[in-house]
Amino acid sequence: MPTVHLSISDKLYDELREIAEEYGIQITDLIKVFIKNNLKAARRGTLSPDNEDTEKLEELEEKIEQISSQIIQLNKFTERQLKIQNSMIKALEEKVSNLELIIDELEEKMDNEKPYIEPEIMK
């Protein structure tokens, strides 16, 4: 019987092992089943780039691109909003600081203009 040796990634091997364990078979038997099923599909002409899985994959890839684009747009919008909010906060802080200075100046003027007179206590 001919023997085929395959080099596969650790991730693929782990996936195969999980599925084989679910079915209670060895990994090599699972691989044989996959090969047989795909050989049948290839003979029927259903194993081609035009099959449903490829179309679904392309649809998912397109959706991922759309979502990625939307995320980029949202990030840009959020960054603009943060810049606007930060500039507004800085402007408000400056105004509050200016108001505090004006209040201090007014208090000084009031203290200097009118001497404080204590009311006399009546007996």
Side-chain angles (χ1 to χ4, degrees):
M1 181 180 290
T3 304
V4 176
H5 296 277
L6 298 173
S7 294
I8 58 174
S9 68
D10 291 339
K11 182 179 176 186
L12 179 57
Y13 181 81
D14 291 340
E15 288 180 48
L16 288 169
R17 186 182 69 230
E18 286 179 24
I19 294 171
E21 286 175 359
E22 286 178 20
Y23 286 98
I25 60 175
Q26 293 183 2
I27 293 175
T28 53
D29 293 333
L30 178 66
I31 293 171
K32 288 176 189 177
V33 169
F34 285 163
I35 291 171
K36 285 179 186 176
N37 288 338
N38 285 308
L39 280 174
K40 290 176 187 176
R43 286 193 185 117
R44 287 191 310 261
T46 57
L47 183 66
S48 66
D50 297 328
N51 69 17
E52 288 181 32
D53 289 341
T54 304
E55 290 174 12
K56 287 179 184 177
L57 183 61
E58 288 172 357
E59 287 177 24
L60 290 173
E61 287 174 347
E62 187 176 316
K63 286 180 182 179
I64 288 172
E65 286 179 27
Q66 290 173 352
I67 291 170
S68 294
S69 175
Q70 290 173 346
I71 289 172
I72 290 169
Q73 290 174 352
L74 285 172
N75 282 340
K76 287 179 181 178
F77 176 77
T78 302
E79 287 175 10
R80 283 193 302 267
Q81 290 299 102
L82 285 173
K83 285 180 182 178
I84 291 169
Q85 287 176 353
N86 285 336
S87 65
M88 290 173 70
I89 288 171
K90 285 181 184 178
L92 286 172
E93 286 174 341
E94 285 179 26
K95 288 185 180 199
V96 167
S97 178
N98 288 339
L99 286 173
E100 288 173 339
L101 289 174
I102 290 171
I103 290 170
D104 288 343
E105 288 174 5
L106 286 173
E107 286 176 344
E108 278 183 35
K109 280 184 183 180
M110 286 176 63
D111 285 344
N112 290 336
E113 286 180 8
K114 291 184 182 177
Y116 182 73
I117 301 174
E118 287 189 35
E120 291 181 26
I121 299 177
M122 297 180 79
K123 294 185 184 179

